[in-house]
């Protein structure tokens, strides 16, 4: 067995283990279903960075390696997918405009200011009405300093991701990444 096959098998085993653990807990709607892994910054794959000059933030999008290995063009996201969005403030000049690097990209401050996550598991999403349901996805927000869950409404996450539609499995950058040539 070559190295790529071994890595793929290991990653798929991780997806199945994650899904099995998630299925052992009773499911009720809400952010309590999602845990922020302590090692996400080291282990997860950052597949997209989006500059938002209007909000003066840089949005970093990560995915767990098990889901990354299972992404297939045109197919729904795999169960066990955990997508993390970690925002940083842009460095600003004296007039309050974002500073840009040599490639024209905004330069981030070193710390995260917000962390949100979206996770897909079998049966998740049941209990939400059609005005919020995003297939089998749940959402949560986390404190960047502590990793603890931030309580509060998540309707903005649900309504925003409804725009991505079921055809994109209620994802934006993840769908785009899965469907571009690699």
């Amino acid at each position: 067995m070559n190295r790529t096959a071994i890595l793929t098998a290991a990653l798929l085993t991780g997806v199945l283990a994650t899904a099995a653990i998630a299925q052992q807990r009773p499911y009720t709607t809400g952010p309590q279903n999602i845990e922020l892994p302590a090692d996400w910054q080291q282990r997860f794959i950052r597949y997209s960075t989006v500059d938002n000059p209007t909000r003066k933030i840089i949005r970093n999008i990560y995915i767990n390696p098990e889901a990354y290995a299972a992404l297939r063009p045109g197919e729904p996201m795999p169960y066990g997918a955990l997508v993390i969005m970690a925002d940083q403030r842009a460095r600003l000049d004296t007039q309050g405009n974002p500073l840009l690097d040599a490639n024209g990209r905004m330069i981030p401050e070193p710390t995260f200011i917000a962390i949100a996550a979206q996770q897909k598991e079998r049966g998740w999403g049941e209990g939400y009405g059609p005005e919020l349901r995003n297939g089998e996805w749940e959402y949560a927000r986390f404190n960047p300093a502590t990793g603890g869950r931030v309580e509060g409404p998540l309707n903005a996450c649900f309504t925003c991701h409804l725009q991505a539609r079921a055809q994109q499995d209620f994802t934006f950058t993840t769908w785009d990444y899965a469907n571009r040539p690699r």
Side-chain angles (χ1 to χ4, degrees), residues 56 90-100 106-107 109:
K56 300 177 185 178
R91 291 188 181 174
L92 306 176
D93 65 17
T94 56
Q95 288 78 40
N97 299 310
L99 292 170
L100 305 178
M106 294 188 332
I107 301 169
E109 291 290 345

Side-chain angles (χ1 to χ4, degrees), residues 1-115:
M1 197 181 256
N2 68 29
R3 188 170 189 242
T4 302
I6 292 169
L7 178 60
T8 301
L11 290 173
L12 290 175
T13 301
V15 167
L16 295 174
T18 301
I21 291 167
Q23 291 303 317
Q24 291 173 359
R25 316 186 282 255
Y27 172 75
T28 58
T29 59
Q32 74 281 354
N33 296 293
I34 301 176
E35 297 294 329
L36 184 66
D39 65 347
W40 72 269
Q41 290 183 65
Q42 295 78 35
R43 195 169 62 84
F44 280 37
I45 297 162
R46 184 175 68 178
Y47 67 87
S48 185
T49 302
V50 180
D51 291 352
N52 186 328
T54 304
R55 293 186 56 205
K56 300 177 185 178
I57 62 169
I58 295 103
R59 197 157 259 181
N60 302 280
I61 316 291
Y62 299 79
I63 191 167
N64 56 325
E66 302 85 6
Y68 174 82
L71 291 175
R72 298 292 176 264
E75 293 184 15
M77 298 298 118
Y79 290 105
L82 176 55
V83 180
I84 296 173
M85 179 177 68
D87 292 347
Q88 294 171 284
R89 278 188 176 70
R91 291 188 181 174
L92 306 176
D93 65 17
T94 56
Q95 288 78 40
N97 299 310
L99 292 170
L100 305 178
D101 66 15
N103 295 317
R105 302 293 308 265
M106 294 188 332
I107 301 169
E109 291 290 345
T111 59
F112 294 121
I113 58 168
I115 297 174

